[in-house]
Structures are given as structure tokens and as C-alpha cells.
Amino acid sequence: MSENQNLLAEQRRALILDEVRRRGGVRVNELTRKLGVSDMTVRRDLDALARQGVVEKVHGGAVPVVEASTHEPGFEAKSGLELTAKEDIARAAAELVAPGSAIALSGGTTTYALAHRLVEVPDLTVVTNSVRVADVFHAAQRTSGPRQGAATVVLTGGVRTPSDSLVGPVADQAIAALHFDVLFLGVHGISVEAGLSTPNLAEAETNRRLVQSARRVVVVADHTKWGTVGLSSFAALEQVDTLVTDGGLAAQARAEIAEHLRRLVVAGDSEDVAEL
């Protein structure tokens, strides 16, 4: 981390979180030197990260929170994390959407960010099991009124999870009867060994149905999802056509991904796209 007194709070906290995860813990005095900010500022940042449940404050610093594979954070808790990365990913992923296509958006805060980028793409048919994603399109239509080319939104129904996704038999049955050109899939975790995973067993089954109904699968996941493993795997890496992530993904992870995926899109890189 380089010293920069002009970093936004969000950027500062993302750097602190990366440092905590990378080193297994940090001290307040180390962060004040590296970030060039006051002791009080660092302590406020640590308080904010602790409220989000991603670090645990200890005397003189903080350590990472080790989550159980069954822990499922709520939508609000996740929405405050990696905001810049999610916006970059959403921008890059939106460029993969062709007007007039039928797409699916799974639940998650990154697909939610993507939905905001897609409201102006004409003639889309959007299948989603995310209440939040559906609300984005409905809110856009309420704001602008009826307009030609507005998206047609199909909300699957089902039982609501802490992340505001609809899962279970009702959702699974609805998805199984549909076919879409591209699935944009948010994930809890992604790794070589476990593939794509989630802590919610019912959501895992619904995600399997989404993958089966898609001609192409695009995973949208920031770099912190790499190496995270949830309770239930629902797809292997080989079932993914494209991973859209951010520049925080380490070189070693990119090399591992190159062995399993055809295409990697790193939002913010010079040309955004790397063919694998």
C-alpha cells in the first residue's frame, strides 16, 4: 500500500481489508504510516469494517474474520464491500450484452450493480431470481414511464434467502422451463478445487438450474471471492465461459484460471479483455 492522504474512505478500507487478509492481521500504527492518515481515521475504518463483519478488532489492530462455510451474509452487509470493484466489473460485463438478447441475472450485489448498467439496453428479456435485480428494472420503468425497448423481466418466484435471492422448488421449476443466451452469475466463492460454491444448499440447486438453462455462463466476481469455498458446490470452473473480475486478482490466481477458463475479463486493465 502506498501513502496517499487523498484516498476515499471506501478505497482506504478496501486496502486495509486486503492487507488484513493477506497478512493475517495488521496493527493500527502500521496502517497510519502506510496510508498517511491519522490514528483516529484508521480506527474509524476498522470500526466500519468490523460492523460489516469482515474483520475482528483486537488490541492495537485487527485480524480477519474466519467465516464458516455455512455463513451467508445478508445483502446489506455485502453491498458495502468492494464497491469500486463491483462497479468496474458491472461496466465490463455490460459490454457483453447484446440488445434483444435473453439473459439471466442471479442474485448478488455484483449482479445488482450490473442491472443498473443494463436498464438502457434495448429489448432485453431478463430472467432473474433476485428481488433486488427485478426492482432495478421496475424502478427504471416507473421513473421513465412506458418506453419502447424497455426490458421484459421474468421473476422466478421462490423462497427468499438472506441475500434476497429466490430459491427452492418453485424457482427451480420456473428456470428449468426457460432458455437464455447468457447467464450472469454472482458467486459466494470460486476456486479450482470447489469450482463455484455457496453456503446455501437451496441456492446451490437453483444456481445449477440457471447454469443448465444458459448457452453461455459469465461469472461476475471481485478478487476477494477467489479461494473462498462455501458449503455446496454447484458448478465446475470448466462450465464457465467467462470470468469478469477486477484488477485486484493476483497474478498466481490469473495463471490458475488460465488452465480452466477460455476467457478472463479484468475490469480496469488496459484493454479489459484477456483471451485464455
Side-chain angles (χ1 to χ4, degrees):
M1 295 188 293
S2 60
E3 294 187 5
N4 188 340
Q5 296 187 37
N6 299 316
L7 285 175
L8 297 174
E10 173 204 327
Q11 296 171 311
R12 229 180 21 250
R13 289 165 190 171
L15 289 170
I16 291 171
L17 182 57
D18 281 345
E19 190 80 350
V20 170
R21 287 171 169 167
R22 184 175 63 84
R23 296 176 51 196
V26 293
R27 300 189 65 81
V28 171
N29 57 5
E30 294 172 338
L31 292 174
T32 58
R33 289 196 302 270
K34 290 181 177 179
L35 292 170
V37 295
S38 70
D39 179 282
M40 186 176 295
T41 296
V42 169
R43 292 185 186 277
R44 280 199 300 265
D45 289 340
L46 292 178
D47 285 339
L49 291 170
R51 286 194 298 270
Q52 293 172 3
V54 292
V55 305
E56 179 182 351
K57 290 185 68 181
V58 296
H59 181 69
V63 296
V65 171
V66 179
E67 294 181 348
S69 61
T70 55
H71 175 66
E72 182 178 8
F75 186 92
E76 298 300 339
K78 293 188 291 185
S79 64
L81 302 176
E82 304 296 336
L83 292 177
T84 300
K86 288 171 184 175
E87 287 301 320
D88 289 343
I89 291 167
R91 173 187 54 76
E95 295 176 4
L96 305 177
V97 178
S101 57
I103 66 171
L105 297 176
S106 76
T109 52
T110 309
T111 50
Y112 176 73
L114 174 58
H116 284 87
R117 294 273 179 172
L118 298 180
V119 292
E120 297 300 328
V121 179
D123 300 317
L124 289 181
T125 299
V126 180
V127 177
T128 186
N129 69 321
S130 169
V131 176
R132 300 280 186 150
V133 166
D135 282 347
V136 170
F137 289 97
H138 290 314
Q141 291 176 17
R142 286 195 301 269
T143 301
S144 62
R147 62 180 178 84
Q148 188 174 3
T152 299
V153 180
V154 179
L155 185 61
T156 63
V159 178
R160 199 164 182 161
T161 71
S163 59
D164 287 344
S165 300
L166 300 177
V167 301
V170 172
D172 298 346
Q173 210 167 15
I175 294 165
L178 301 171
H179 305 279
F180 22 85
D181 300 311
V182 188
L183 164 65
F184 291 93
L185 186 62
V187 297
H188 172 81
I190 178 171
S191 70
V192 171
E193 297 78 16
L196 313 181
S197 62
T198 173
N200 188 304
L201 292 173
E203 187 169 39
E205 182 57 33
T206 299
N207 283 344
R208 286 189 197 101
R209 298 297 180 96
L210 285 167
V211 170
Q212 291 165 4
S213 294
R215 289 176 54 204
R216 287 196 299 136
V217 177
V218 177
V219 171
V220 287
D222 69 72
H223 68 281
T224 65
K225 303 297 180 67
W226 182 256
T228 298
V229 177
L231 177 65
S232 180
S233 296
F234 57 86
L237 286 187
E238 287 76 10
Q239 292 175 266
V240 177
D241 296 284
T242 303
L243 170 63
V244 184
T245 188
D246 64 285
L249 188 68
Q252 182 179 350
R254 299 188 195 196
E256 289 182 282
I257 290 168
E259 299 177 8
H260 298 272
L261 299 188
R262 288 186 290 278
R263 192 181 189 197
L264 173 67
V265 177
V266 181
D269 273 14
S270 55
E271 295 184 356
D272 266 4
V273 177
E275 295 288 348
L276 301 181

